[in-house]
């Protein structure tokens, strides 16, 4: 009997080609479109992307002659992704909803729906690869970076488990984006020229402050500029991991007020847009926020020293290993390639595993290390584990 694969068909070109390739390979393929959001608050376009997406998905399914199913997961998405987003922003952190969406929705709730349809596997249009090895008589699943370095999406899957990976398929992970477009054109798929989606997973491109104001109130506060020469007073002189892995501590007395904002929780480290402060020789960037005092701290210039950090910390409770068999024991250190945001080139560093958590010490200082984001570590192209930056 043919293995049944349920593809998460979003209406985009990537999942469309993934469905096409699966059918070409002889699988029994069914399409499942999930609607995870039906609110237009904060969307930058008045057009409804959901109506367009489902139409494209239906056209692709019809062209490929595969069954099409629709499921509304908006309740689960709001509870497990959006509410988490609001809670993290309120605490002054910057969450990554795409990572949460994959862990909590696509490879959990959606996976269960696919299994109800009799699926052996669930497939997505992610640019990443999966490999199965046998170790000590047990199958182990490896999550490998996508062949297209410009589109590798393994980072977004950094919180998946072995159980989730056991049911996952990534049909386009071994090819590059231009070839995906070529395949779609050759197969005459409706989504061949459709633009890639942007913004929050399943929500779209949003005006973040407007979106967040659904639950987080606007509150006027000060923007304080801290000059670069003050960095020597703020950056720890100690080389102890416990000291250099902490976010910098700022006070209003360290700088000068240069403007106002509508809520510190609407800003994140490294942000440039939305400050509305002019008259500077170089652009201002957010170097820190204080949601208790409602202050946004900024520095002038892309290379401001307080934008840079040498190390970060992840508490034990927030550490996740895809390869549990490669989890090191406490009080040891390992070299890894590390990424702290999507599409960032891999960075060399050492991870120190301690009882309280792990410390990542980079060979080179990193720009805009943001609390709430995920750090992921790789070994020879394989994603080994990840954790939430403290």
């Amino acid at each position: 009997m043919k293995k049944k694969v349920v593809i998460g068909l979003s209406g985009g070109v990537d999942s469309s080609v993934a469905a096409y390739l699966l059918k070409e390979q002889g699988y029994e393929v069914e399409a499942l479109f999930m609607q995870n959001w039906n609110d237009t608050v904060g969307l930058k376009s008045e057009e409804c992307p959901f109506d367009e997406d489902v139409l494209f998905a239906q056209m692709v399914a019809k062209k490929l002659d595969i069954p099409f199913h629709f499921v509304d997961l908006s309740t689960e998405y709001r509870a497990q992704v959006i509410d988490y987003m609001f809670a993290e922003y309120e605490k002054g952190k910057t969450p990554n909803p795409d990572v949460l969406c994959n862990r909590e929705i696509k490879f959990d709730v959606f996976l269960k729906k696919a299994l109800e349809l009799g699926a052996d596997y669930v497939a997505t249009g992610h640019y990443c690869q999966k490999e199965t090895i046998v170790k000590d008589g047990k199958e182990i699943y490896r999550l490998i970076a996508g062949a297209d370095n410009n589109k590798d999406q393994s980072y977004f899957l950094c919180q998946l488990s072995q159980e989730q990976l056991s049911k996952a398929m990534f049909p386009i992970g071994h090819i590059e984006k231009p070839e995906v477009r070529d395949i779609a054109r050759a197969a005459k798929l409706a989504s061949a020229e459709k633009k890639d989606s942007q913004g929050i997973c399943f929500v779209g491109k949003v005006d973040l402050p407007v979106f967040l104001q659904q639950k987080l109130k606007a509150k006027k506060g000060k923007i304080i500029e801290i000059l670069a020469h003050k960095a020597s007073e703020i950056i720890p002189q100690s080389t102890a991991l416990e000291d250099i892995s902490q976010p910098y501590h700022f006070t209003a007395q360290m700088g000068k007020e240069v403007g106002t904002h509508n809520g510190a929780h609407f800003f994140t480290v490294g942000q440039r847009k939305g400050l509305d402060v002019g008259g500077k020789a170089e652009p201002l960037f957010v170097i820190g926020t204080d949601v208790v005092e409602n202050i946004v701290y900024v520095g002038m210039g892309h290379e401001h020293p307080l934008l840079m950090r040498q190390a970060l910390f992840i508490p034990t409770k927030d550490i996740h290993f895809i390869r549990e068999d490669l989890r090191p024991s406490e009080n040891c250190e390992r070299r890894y390639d590390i990424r702290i945001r999507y599409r960032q080139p891999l960075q060399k560093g050492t991870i120190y595993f301690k009882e309280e958590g792990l410390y990542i010490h980079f060979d080179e200082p990193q720009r805009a290390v943001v609390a709430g984001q995920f750090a992921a570590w790789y070994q020879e192209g394989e994603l080994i584990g990840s954790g939430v930056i403290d």
Side-chain angles (χ1 to χ4, degrees), residues 176-187:
E176 298 191 351
K177 182 75 179 201
E179 187 181 345
V180 168
R181 289 279 184 197
D182 289 343
I183 293 170
R185 292 183 190 110

Side-chain angles (χ1 to χ4, degrees), residues 76-94:
E76 292 89 341
Y77 187 81
R78 179 177 285 278
Q80 296 176 48
V81 178
I82 298 300
D83 287 350
Y84 170 85
M85 262 186 71
F86 285 129
E88 290 291 280
Y89 272 106
E90 193 168 25
K91 291 185 282 191
K93 297 186 176 183
T94 305

Side-chain angles (χ1 to χ4, degrees), residues 101-317:
C101 177
N102 284 309
R103 187 184 75 188
E104 304 291 337
I105 304 298
K106 288 181 185 172
F107 292 94
D108 189 343
V109 184
F110 177 82
L111 174 58
K112 288 170 184 171
K113 295 290 183 184
L115 294 176
E116 288 173 10
L117 292 172
D120 295 295
Y121 297 100
V122 64
T124 66
H126 282 103
Y127 286 87
C128 62
Q129 303 175 80
K130 171 186 153 183
E131 190 177 283
T132 305
I133 61 172
V134 177
K135 186 175 179 180
D136 300 326
K138 181 184 176 183
E139 283 191 335
I140 291 176
Y141 306 98
R142 304 176 70 217
L143 180 61
I144 312 290
D148 188 332
N149 288 329
N150 291 319
K151 289 292 293 181
D152 170 38
Q153 293 174 310
S154 58
Y155 174 82
F156 288 138
L157 305 176
C158 68
Q159 288 277 294
L160 295 193
S161 66
Q162 283 288 304
E163 185 179 358
Q164 289 170 315
L165 275 176
S166 72
K167 297 291 185 183
M169 293 182 76
F170 308 112
I172 63 169
H174 64 291
I175 54 181
E176 298 191 351
K177 182 75 179 201
E179 187 181 345
V180 168
R181 289 279 184 197
D182 289 343
I183 293 170
R185 292 183 190 110
K188 294 182 168 52
L189 301 180
S191 56
E193 307 301 335
K194 190 169 183 282
K195 287 184 179 179
D196 293 343
S197 59
Q198 293 181 311
I200 300 170
C201 184
F202 288 112
V203 175
K205 206 165 186 180
V206 299
D207 184 324
L208 196 58
V210 173
F211 183 76
L212 292 173
Q213 280 177 38
Q214 293 176 80
K215 284 200 174 181
L216 305 182
K217 289 181 180 178
K219 184 182 177 185
K220 201 161 194 175
K222 297 177 181 178
I223 297 175
I224 303 288
E225 181 185 2
I226 297 182
L227 300 178
H229 75 262
K230 286 278 188 181
S232 59
E233 302 171 21
I234 297 167
I235 298 173
Q237 299 305 303
S238 164
T239 57
L241 284 169
E242 293 81 1
D243 296 328
I244 63 172
S245 62
Q246 296 304 306
Y248 300 130
H249 175 68
F250 303 112
T251 64
Q253 290 70 39
M254 293 175 177
K256 177 184 176 183
E257 183 178 348
V258 292
T260 59
H261 60 80
N262 288 319
H265 42 252
F266 299 142
F267 292 84
T268 187
V269 173
Q271 182 174 334
R272 173 182 170 182
K273 293 182 178 179
L275 290 167
D276 296 325
V277 178
K280 296 291 177 180
E282 294 182 73
L284 293 177
F285 293 87
V286 177
I287 58 174
T289 61
D290 183 339
V291 294
V292 176
E293 297 295 330
N294 196 32
I295 298 174
V296 172
Y297 293 96
V298 298
M300 188 173 67
H302 189 273
E303 302 303 321
H304 193 288
L306 292 171
L307 272 172
M308 310 301 288
R309 291 254 304 276
Q310 190 79 50
L312 61 85
F313 174 66
I314 297 173
T316 299
K317 66 180 178 61

